[in-house]
Amino acid sequence: MVQFCGLLTLQREPVPLKSISVSVSIYEFVAGVSATLNYENQEEVPLEAVFVFPMDEDSAVYSFEALVDGTKIVAELQDKMKARTNYKNAVSQGHQAFLLEEDSSSRDVFSCNVGNLQPGSKAAVTLKYVQELPLETDGALRFVLPAVLNPRYKFSGSPKDSCLDVKTPIVPVEELPYTLSMVATIDSQYGIEKVQSNCPLSPTEYLGENKTSAQVSLAAGHKFDRDVELLIYYSEVHIPSVVLEMGMPKVKPGRLMGDPTAMVSFYPNIPEDEPSNTCREFVFLMDRSGSMQSPMNSQDRSQLRIQAAKETLILLLKSLPIGCYFNIYGFGSSYEAYFPESVKYTQQTMEEALWRVKLMQADLGGTEILAPLQDIYKRPSIPGHPLQLFIFTDGEVTDTFSVIKEVGINRQKHRCFSFGIGEGASTSLIKGIARASGGTSEFITGKDRMQSKALRTLKRSLQPVVQNVSLSWHLPPRLSAEMLSPEQTVIFRGQRLIIYAQLTGKMPAAETTGEVCLKYTLQGKAFEDKVTFPLQPKPDANLTIHRLAAKSLLQTKDMGLRETPASDKKDALNLSLESGVISSFTAFIAINKELNKPVQGPLAHRNIPRPIVLGASAPLKLRCKAAVPMAARYSRPAFPPIMEAMSVEDNMAYHKGDYRFCGLMTHKDHHSPASVEDHLVQLIYHQNANGSWDLNEDLAKVLDMSLEEITSAHPAELVDSSGWATILAVIWLHGNGKDFKCEWELLERKAMAWMRVHAGSTMPLVVKAAITFLKSSVDPAIFTY
């Protein structure tokens, strides 16, 4: 059951958590975060307060401390079972105690226990972490402060020790009794062009010369209805670099924290080329749980997640290459596949799939992704068609480690590309399954368009395979580099690589340099990227690079308390304890032994409430739907039975391809003039599998002309009606859809390939006639590549 059923009202006791204040320090590609939770006990009895909160999966938490009535208590990182026992014992003995731990089933959920907070007492609990910042396609560095923790669906048989089992009260956003403030300082030697956010910010204040330093703060009144996102644009982001950090002086050389650690950043200049001729199998796994009925963001008239997913799926289906195989799965508490097995991409199979997509609803209950994954993996591979798995989900599941493990076990037979939809999607699930299979992950929040990110990923899956990836170091004698990051086997165009290494041996004298070289081959051509760096490690009190290196290494060994192989458990525990970075096997424990007052009566327990973000849109009966036995329901689209379930009006709309019926435009005003985006969706929908368009009323509506006008202008002696329609459609795309080019680029490429074969030598004359007819300023040269 979803955890918050029956917990929609808040007990009227005072809430001890009063505010959360966050300080962010961003330097180049790394963020250091200090988050302070301010508590106050306004009751007449001692309290134990429990707060469950989200955090990005890539965060390396390394410090936890409390300031209680002027007394500072620094936590120690211990084995998790030992820390839990010590916490319980301390509280029972009247000591004040604090416990911070990562959820046993997911890396992106934490709980903070404050035990024995005395009446009238105040406590400021501070945790610190560091993380890499991902690079967006437009060159922006993306920092996200998670503020939304959606309820996670818990399936039958899942473990009971998750911190999400805490019966946390859920309240409307406007009733949340604590506030959030954030100040971010940004530094870059390359200069800061601008800072954008999905939340209101104070005006950017530039502090350094040449805009090398800036500060922004979150405007007052954040409502916890969205994660806080910063997009930071530097003047240069594609320059390779190496940061070398000094180890801890008191730690012996030869250990991770004692030796210098290097963070190498590459941005390989992989040339853009035609998609690989290798055919592929595409399987699209679509979340149809009740929470997908929620809006993409908290803004009025925001498109529903399921609607955006349907538009995206149609666009992907239209953009698939000839010769591939495909299938579509929908999952919730149960799952179903559109075809018993993947089918060859033809006009017929594409149309059958489109009918099903049009009727797709968020009606399958909870979020159980493991069973459909297992069903996909057990199916035999199609020779010569490597599997590319696309997963779309809002990521609201509990036991993510078992899902990630399943993907990792099958990494040799596929690549997984994952998409987290909406606020609060599990970063642990979305990033974890992509990392485990050598794919990529994307998050769609705020005003992001799912379509553009999905098409960018489809282009990546069609890229020619990069081979023979290797990293070599050129260092002075008696100095060597030991890799801490997993071996790199997949490189995508437009992707940045972060690599960590431990330098062992004797460090040379001042002014000596080292070199690291990334080599790879693409379609028989050799490429390499080099970067030279000074071999003088810089000190950092926070040991930022060492902590990030430890986190990177932990992500390869730590698969949760239950899923980690026995051979890796000891290594993960020791690495966590040595580096001070929390893991599934460790927890921070702080005990104030100076407070040794007998507890008068039972300790009052207070669970800190969380905001409900989905309540206004997701029907409760769907969110609270119990799990039903797993079953794969395979069936071809049976058109007559489907039609019988519709009204006469809906039946007619269905046959006409009415977008109001299929839910692709329900977030827009149907009575307003159609926008470019609406026309684009319709044009894409009516493209044939081979890339062509038919000359009919549907095309005429997009062109805003009558069919008679288009037909009378058709140069029949040069090309048939489909060729004429296809040229007109491509010109419309270039003339009207420039802002969405990344979304139609692949289907336009397919149309051009069809035209070159279909029209041959007459194509220049057809293009000229079409441009003249449409009175377009599009350059005819676009048809020559």
Side-chain angles (χ1 to χ4, degrees):
M1 296 287 289
V2 174
Q3 293 302 298
F4 65 85
C5 290
L7 294 173
L8 299 181
T9 59
L10 173 64
Q11 299 297 321
R12 291 303 174 184
E13 299 95 347
V15 175
L17 178 63
K18 299 302 176 185
S19 65
I20 303 172
S21 57
V22 179
S23 175
V24 184
S25 178
I26 296 172
Y27 178 71
E28 305 298 4
F29 305 132
V30 175
V33 181
S34 176
T36 300
L37 312 178
N38 296 294
Y39 293 86
E40 181 179 358
N41 183 2
Q42 297 176 323
E43 301 187 54
E44 297 179 356
V45 295
L47 298 180
E48 180 183 34
V50 180
F51 183 44
V52 179
F53 58 95
M55 187 174 293
D56 191 282
E57 197 257 3
D58 289 332
S59 302
V61 181
Y62 67 89
S63 175
F64 182 60
E65 61 186 36
L67 184 66
V68 185
D69 299 327
T71 301
K72 184 177 181 180
I73 310 142
V74 179
E76 176 186 351
L77 190 64
Q78 298 180 356
D79 178 285
K80 181 179 281 189
M81 298 300 109
K82 178 182 176 183
R84 286 177 175 177
T85 300
N86 289 341
Y87 173 79
K88 292 178 181 178
N89 291 339
V91 171
S92 66
Q93 294 169 18
H95 298 311
Q96 201 162 50
F98 303 86
L99 181 70
L100 179 72
E101 61 179 310
E102 182 183 282
D103 183 51
S104 59
S105 299
S106 183
R107 285 196 184 100
D108 66 341
V109 179
F110 280 70
S111 65
C112 177
N113 289 44
V114 176
N116 204 358
L117 187 63
Q118 295 295 297
S121 188
K122 295 182 179 180
V125 180
T126 300
L127 62 101
K128 296 180 181 179
Y129 62 90
V130 291
Q131 67 180 100
E132 301 168 7
L133 298 184
L135 187 65
E136 298 289 288
T137 303
D138 64 353
L141 274 298
R142 183 174 182 262
F143 169 77
V144 176
L145 179 68
V148 176
L149 176 53
N150 291 331
R152 301 284 171 90
Y153 180 86
K154 188 167 185 176
F155 53 88
S156 55
S158 60
K160 304 295 183 183
D161 60 346
S162 168
C163 66
L164 288 166
D165 288 329
V166 173
K167 296 297 185 282
T168 305
I170 303 294
V171 300
V173 169
E174 59 272 12
E175 293 185 19
L176 203 67
Y178 49 88
T179 59
L180 173 67
S181 61
M182 186 190 79
V183 176
T185 303
I186 305 159
D187 292 281
S188 173
Q189 61 182 316
Y190 304 113
I192 303 162
E193 290 186 350
K194 60 182 175 180
V195 180
Q196 297 179 339
S197 177
N198 65 329
C199 298
L201 296 177
S202 63
T204 303
E205 180 183 357
Y206 289 99
L207 307 175
E209 295 182 2
N210 301 320
K211 294 187 175 182
T212 56
S213 183
Q215 188 176 86
V216 296
S217 59
L218 185 64
H222 181 75
K223 296 296 185 183
F224 285 85
D225 59 347
R226 72 194 78 173
D227 296 337
V228 180
E229 178 184 85
L230 296 180
L231 295 175
I232 303 142
Y233 294 83
Y234 295 150
S235 299
E236 294 284 349
V237 293
H238 300 155
I239 298 175
S241 63
V242 177
V243 179
L244 190 59
E245 182 180 87
M246 188 182 296
M248 297 176 69
K250 296 182 180 179
V251 178
K252 292 181 180 180
R255 301 183 66 85
L256 171 62
M257 303 307 288
D259 286 330
T261 297
M263 180 176 78
V264 184
S265 176
F266 278 116
Y267 189 87
N269 186 24
I270 299 175
E272 184 170 14
D273 205 347
E274 289 290 322
S276 170
N277 290 327
T278 303
C279 294
R280 288 167 168 77
E281 177 189 6
F282 296 92
V283 174
F284 303 103
L285 183 55
M286 188 64 66
D287 191 339
R288 287 176 51 190
S289 62
S291 55
M292 287 290 288
Q293 191 65 20
S294 303
M296 290 293 296
N297 58 62
S298 59
Q299 298 175 0
D300 291 341
R301 301 178 63 81
S302 173
Q303 187 178 26
L304 299 184
R305 297 175 186 179
I306 191 67
Q307 292 168 351
K310 289 165 71 169
E311 283 188 14
T312 302
L313 198 47
I314 287 174
L315 182 55
L316 286 167
L317 284 171
K318 292 294 183 174
S319 301
L320 291 180
I322 297 296
C324 75
Y325 283 74
F326 78 100
N327 203 349
I328 299 171
Y329 281 70
F331 73 93
S333 301
S334 59
Y335 68 92
E336 61 182 11
Y338 281 17
F339 303 98
E341 58 188 19
S342 291
V343 295
K344 194 164 186 178
Y345 181 67
T346 65
Q347 184 67 22
Q348 179 182 351
T349 57
M350 182 192 75
E351 287 182 353
E352 290 183 3
L354 288 176
W355 287 125
R356 295 289 295 271
V357 171
K358 289 171 72 175
L359 294 175
M360 186 171 69
Q361 299 294 329
D363 57 359
L364 291 183
T367 310
E368 300 197 24
I369 192 173
L370 187 58
L373 279 174
Q374 292 170 334
D375 186 80
I376 291 167
Y377 293 145
K378 77 180 182 182
R379 301 194 169 278
S381 300
I382 300 175
H385 293 73
L387 174 61
Q388 315 293 307
L389 177 61
F390 285 63
I391 298 179
F392 296 85
T393 178
D394 53 18
E396 296 167 13
V397 298
T398 48
D399 194 8
T400 62
F401 285 122
S402 58
V403 177
I404 295 169
K405 180 181 178 181
E406 185 70 23
V407 173
I409 291 172
N410 293 277
R411 63 174 297 141
Q412 298 301 324
K413 63 172 64 174
H414 84 304
R415 287 188 301 188
C416 179
F417 301 93
S418 54
F419 301 83
I421 304 171
E423 305 290 348
S426 170
T427 61
S428 183
L429 177 70
I430 303 304
K431 292 183 178 181
I433 56 180
R435 183 186 299 112
S437 64
T440 61
S441 59
E442 296 278 5
F443 290 87
I444 301 107
T445 59
K447 296 182 179 180
D448 290 345
R449 281 181 61 80
M450 191 188 304
Q451 295 89 332
S452 60
K453 292 194 172 185
L455 264 292
R456 180 172 72 209
T457 300
L458 180 59
K459 288 180 66 176
R460 283 177 171 171
S461 73
L462 292 169
Q463 282 182 12
V465 177
V466 173
Q467 297 176 318
N468 305 319
V469 181
S470 65
L471 196 72
S472 58
W473 297 78
H474 302 282
L475 302 170
R478 301 172 63 187
L479 185 66
S480 60
E482 180 181 344
M483 294 297 296
L484 299 174
S485 300
E487 180 182 356
Q488 197 71 38
T489 57
V490 178
I491 302 177
F492 295 102
R493 187 175 187 274
Q495 186 181 33
R496 187 190 59 195
L497 301 181
I498 299 288
I499 300 160
Y500 296 97
Q502 178 181 349
L503 298 191
T504 58
K506 183 176 176 58
M507 294 300 294
E511 299 183 3
T512 307
T513 61
E515 183 184 84
V516 59
C517 180
L518 175 72
K519 296 181 179 180
Y520 54 93
T521 59
L522 179 67
Q523 294 183 321
K525 297 179 182 179
F527 297 87
E528 66 177 36
D529 286 60
K530 294 181 179 179
V531 58
T532 301
F533 60 99
L535 284 167
Q536 285 79 51
K538 296 181 179 180
D540 180 351
N542 294 326
L543 294 164
T544 300
I545 305 305
H546 283 75
R547 313 278 194 200
L548 290 173
K551 180 68 175 182
S552 176
L553 200 52
L554 277 169
Q555 286 175 327
T556 65
K557 294 179 175 293
D558 178 5
M559 293 303 297
L561 281 170
R562 290 169 294 275
E563 302 296 341
T564 302
S567 57
D568 286 336
K569 282 186 177 181
K570 184 177 180 180
D571 288 344
L573 175 61
N574 291 338
L575 176 61
S576 177
L577 293 174
E578 179 189 347
S579 65
V581 174
I582 201 169
S583 70
S584 298
F585 305 97
T586 54
F588 280 105
I589 172 75
I591 300 174
N592 182 9
K593 294 186 178 180
E594 295 179 5
L595 179 66
N596 193 8
K597 303 176 183 177
V599 176
Q600 300 297 321
L603 196 66
H605 191 89
R606 299 288 178 261
N607 292 321
I608 309 299
R610 300 202 314 268
I612 180 169
V613 179
L614 305 182
S617 55
L620 186 61
K621 65 181 181 180
L622 290 180
R623 294 201 310 273
C624 298
K625 187 174 180 179
V628 298
M630 292 291 186
R633 304 195 298 271
Y634 300 111
S635 60
R636 293 263 182 176
F639 299 118
I642 291 176
M643 295 304 113
E644 289 172 5
M646 300 179 190
S647 67
V648 174
E649 180 181 0
D650 283 347
N651 196 314
M652 293 175 62
Y654 187 88
H655 280 291
K656 293 178 180 179
D658 191 313
Y659 288 84
R660 289 169 291 176
F661 173 75
C662 72
L664 300 183
M665 290 171 57
T666 56
H667 61 295
K668 303 180 180 74
D669 183 355
H670 303 145
H671 300 289
S672 63
S675 67
V676 170
E677 184 182 346
D678 297 337
H679 277 154
L680 177 62
V681 171
Q682 295 181 47
L683 187 66
I684 289 170
Y685 185 83
H686 292 291
Q687 187 186 32
N688 296 317
N690 61 11
S692 68
W693 275 269
D694 295 326
L695 187 57
N696 54 29
E697 290 285 358
D698 296 316
L699 178 65
K701 289 178 182 178
V702 173
L703 299 180
D704 199 21
M705 293 181 174
S706 69
L707 182 59
E708 290 74 17
E709 287 180 274
I710 300 172
T711 303
S712 62
H714 169 211
E717 72 282 2
L718 299 176
V719 70
D720 64 16
S721 61
S722 291
W724 178 236
T726 303
I727 289 290
L728 294 176
V730 171
I731 292 174
W732 187 94
L733 287 172
H734 281 273
N736 298 274
K738 292 180 181 178
D739 292 341
F740 304 98
K741 184 175 180 180
C742 60
E743 299 180 18
W744 49 259
E745 199 171 4
L746 285 177
L747 58 87
E748 182 251 12
R749 186 177 293 173
K750 189 161 60 169
M752 299 287 269
W754 181 85
M755 278 301 302
R756 280 194 289 271
V757 173
H758 193 73
S761 60
T762 66
M763 195 157 90
L765 295 175
V766 179
V767 169
K768 183 178 179 180
I771 289 176
T772 301
F773 170 65
L774 292 177
K775 299 178 182 178
S776 172
S777 59
V778 168
D779 187 351
I782 64 170
F783 291 89
T784 60
Y785 67 81

